[in-house]
Amino acid sequence: MNPMVKAEGVCKRFGSLEVLKGIDLEVQPGEVMCIIGPSGSGKSTFLRCINHLEKVDAGRLSVDGDLVGYEQRGDKLYELRENEVAQKRQEIGMVFQRFNLFPHMTALENVIEAPVQVKGESKASARERGVALLHQVGLGDKTTSYPRQLSGGQQQRVAIARALAMQPKLMLFDEPTSALDPELVGEVLSVMRQLAKDGMTMVVVTHEMEFAREVADSVVFMDGGVVVESGPPEDVIRSPKHERTKAFLARVLKKD
Ligand SMILES: Nc1ncnc2c1ncn2[C@@H]1O[C@H](COP(=O)(O)OP(=O)(O)OP(=O)(O)O)[C@@H](O)[C@H]1O
Ligand SMILES: [Mg+2]
C-alpha cells in the first residue's frame, strides 16, 4: 500500500527566503497527522505544496503514489498540464482558516456546487448526498440557510461538508478553528474527530494541542522550515526531546 502523502527533501523558497528546507515525512492511509509550530515556520506552505497550490523547488512529493504536479516517464519528470493538476487536486479536500463559502448560495448549494459543476454529477444525486453530508456535520436543519445566517462554526462545518462532497481521499486542514470564537471551536473539532474515526486520512495544521493529543496518530513539530521532531503525540507533546519543541509547547500550553 502506498503512503497517502510522502515528502522527501521538499524545499520551497520565495525569492531569497527559504521557507521549506528539506521536509521528509509520510502519512499513511487512515492516519491523522497534526502539524504544529510557530508562525512563519512553513506549515501552510507545506500544505499548499501537497495540493500543488505551490510548486516545490527541490525534493519529491507524492500523494497516493502519484507525484504531485509531475509525471515520471523513465527517469525524467514531466510537468503536468493545469487541467491534469486540477484533476488531481479534486482528490484532496482543503479547509482553510477562513471559510470561503459562496455568499450568494445556501449551505446545500455550496456543498453541491463542485460535484455538479466540476464532476458533472446529477443535481438530484448531489443534493441527496449533500443533505446527508450536512446532517453528518450537524447542520441537517440549515440546508437552506445562507452563510450570513450561520455562525462561524456552522460556516466552517459547511466548508467541511463541501470538501467532503468531492469524496476526497485526503483532507488538509489549515488552522480550521483559529478564526472562530472560542465557544464555536468545539463543534468544528468534534466533526473533525468523527471524520478521523471514520477513517479519513487527514493532515491538520493546528494550535489545538488537546485535539492533537487526542486525535492525532502522529504529531510533527516544524520550526524554521524543518521538521524538528515528530512521532506519536505522547512523545512529541507530552515528552518532547528538543529544546525548540519544549519552548514552543510551553508557550502555547500556557495560553490554554
Ligand atoms: N507567496 C508568498 N510569497 C512570499 N513569501 C511567502 C509567501 N507565502 C508565504 N511566505 C513566507 O513564508 C514563510 C512561511 O509562511 P507560512 O504561511 O507557510 O507559515 P506558517 O507556518 O503557516 O505560519 P502561521 O502559523 O502564521 O500560519 C513566512 O515567512 C511567509 O511570510
Ligand atoms: Mg499558516
Side-chain angles (χ1 to χ4, degrees):
M1 197 161 52
N2 288 320
M4 188 55 82
V5 180
K6 184 170 184 174
E8 298 165 275
V10 168
C11 296
K12 174 71 188 172
R13 55 166 69 239
F14 293 109
S16 61
L17 182 67
E18 248 188 302
V19 176
L20 301 177
K21 302 175 186 165
I23 302 289
D24 295 295
L25 58 80
E26 272 187 29
V27 185
Q28 303 307 324
E31 181 178 341
V32 177
M33 174 180 282
C34 286
I35 301 181
I36 61 175
S39 182
S41 56
K43 305 179 300 294
S44 296
T45 302
F46 180 66
L47 274 198
R48 291 167 58 80
C49 287
I50 296 178
N51 61 5
H52 207 54
L53 290 170
E54 300 289 353
K55 213 158 132 180
V56 312
D57 296 320
R60 291 164 73 96
L61 192 52
S62 59
V63 171
D64 199 17
D66 291 333
L67 279 177
V68 173
Y70 298 89
E71 186 179 44
Q72 184 161 10
R73 281 180 248 137
D75 51 10
K76 274 199 132 168
L77 293 187
Y78 296 88
E79 208 168 333
L80 294 180
R81 276 171 289 157
E82 194 46 49
N83 64 338
E84 296 169 305
V85 170
Q87 191 85 33
K88 299 262 183 203
R89 200 175 283 140
Q90 284 175 30
E91 301 174 343
I92 304 174
M94 182 137 187
V95 176
F96 303 91
Q97 188 172 340
R98 300 250 157 233
F99 337 114
N100 302 314
L101 297 177
F102 300 115
H104 59 290
M105 291 184 185
T106 66
L108 182 58
E109 286 165 355
N110 265 281
V111 171
I112 70 173
E113 173 71 7
V116 171
Q117 297 302 327
V118 180
K119 277 193 170 169
E121 187 173 345
S122 79
K123 265 205 165 155
S125 117
R127 288 181 75 89
E128 194 175 321
R129 286 196 314 110
V131 169
L133 282 167
L134 285 170
H135 270 281
Q136 186 184 325
V137 300
L139 295 173
D141 56 342
K142 299 287 184 190
T143 54
T144 60
S145 301
Y146 287 88
R148 68 184 139 75
Q149 300 171 315
L150 299 171
S151 72
Q154 291 170 335
Q155 289 183 52
Q156 194 60 307
R157 287 184 281 147
V158 174
I160 294 173
R162 183 176 60 173
L164 293 174
M166 290 298 275
Q167 299 174 299
K169 50 187 176 187
L170 168 67
M171 285 284 284
L172 308 176
F173 293 86
D174 194 355
E175 301 197 36
T177 60
S178 54
L180 298 177
D181 292 337
E183 72 271 23
L184 303 177
V185 168
E187 62 192 44
V188 172
L189 292 181
S190 91
V191 165
M192 292 169 64
R193 197 175 285 122
Q194 189 57 47
L195 202 53
K197 268 198 198 130
D198 295 341
M200 177 60 77
T201 311
M202 297 162 56
V203 181
V204 185
V205 173
T206 187
H207 292 297
E208 296 291 335
M209 291 305 140
E210 195 48 48
F211 176 83
R213 201 148 38 195
E214 226 183 281
V215 180
D217 298 297
S218 59
V219 175
V220 167
F221 173 65
M222 270 177 74
D223 193 8
V226 299
V227 173
V228 174
E229 185 162 356
S230 65
E234 51 276 23
D235 294 353
V236 179
I237 299 179
R238 281 205 201 281
S239 40
K241 289 189 188 59
H242 292 259
E243 286 310 318
R244 283 150 84 182
T245 320
K246 285 180 196 169
F248 172 76
L249 286 168
R251 276 205 311 280
V252 294
L253 291 175
K254 201 161 54 191
K255 276 190 237 152
D256 288 357

